[in-house]
Amino acid sequence: MSTAQMQLAAASGLMSLVLFLVALAVVALLGGGYWMTSRVKYREPPRPRPEEQPHLPPDGAVHEVRENRESQEVPQIPKGGRPLTPYELTNMDTRPSASKDRPRWSKGSSGSFGGGGLGAH
């Protein structure tokens, strides 16, 4: 065997050893992950038994309530005052509307942006 072949064989053997150690490290990481997951799962409370599951109320299922809602008005800016920033506005609550008519979109419009209608005219 020549020295070039011996050097090639030594490099190949070293590369094999490095790949084996990398594979061993990957297996160790996977095993450690499995071990950590099982420890976390062991600490979790047990699953609820069938009698501990939620039940329907005695009156039956809760039904949907349909009502129109109106939002609060945005505060008016005094003349010469600066506009309010979004951070100065509170959560705009809604209240039930006195009107029982359901709002409808204008004819020929789907009500969505780019919905293909002519828009409000």
Side-chain angles (χ1 to χ4, degrees), residues 34-55:
Y34 178 77
W35 177 73
M36 287 288 292
T37 303
S38 65
R39 286 192 59 199
V40 168
K41 194 166 182 106
Y42 180 73
R43 281 190 249 147
E44 289 179 355
R47 292 183 179 167
R49 294 187 304 273
E51 60 270 7
E52 295 173 339
Q53 297 290 332
H55 298 287

Side-chain angles (χ1 to χ4, degrees), residues 1-85:
M1 226 170 157
S2 70
T3 50
Q5 288 176 340
M6 287 177 54
Q7 287 175 348
L8 189 61
S12 174
L14 184 61
M15 185 60 133
S16 298
L17 179 63
V18 167
L19 286 176
F20 176 74
L21 291 176
V22 167
L24 197 61
V26 167
V27 168
L29 282 172
L30 289 173
Y34 178 77
W35 177 73
M36 287 288 292
T37 303
S38 65
R39 286 192 59 199
V40 168
K41 194 166 182 106
Y42 180 73
R43 281 190 249 147
E44 289 179 355
R47 292 183 179 167
R49 294 187 304 273
E51 60 270 7
E52 295 173 339
Q53 297 290 332
H55 298 287
L56 283 174
D59 304 347
V62 178
H63 296 285
E64 177 180 325
V65 175
R66 286 192 174 193
E67 63 184 2
N68 294 333
R69 307 285 297 177
E70 292 179 352
S71 60
Q72 286 182 351
E73 295 297 322
V74 177
Q76 294 291 322
I77 302 169
K79 191 164 185 126
R82 67 173 184 77
L84 296 173
T85 63

Side-chain angles (χ1 to χ4, degrees), residues 94-119:
T94 61
R95 61 183 180 278
S97 173
S99 169
K100 298 297 178 193
D101 295 332
R102 292 181 58 204
R104 298 289 180 196
W105 303 114
S106 60
K107 273 193 182 264
S109 171
S110 69
S112 65
F113 178 76
L118 298 174

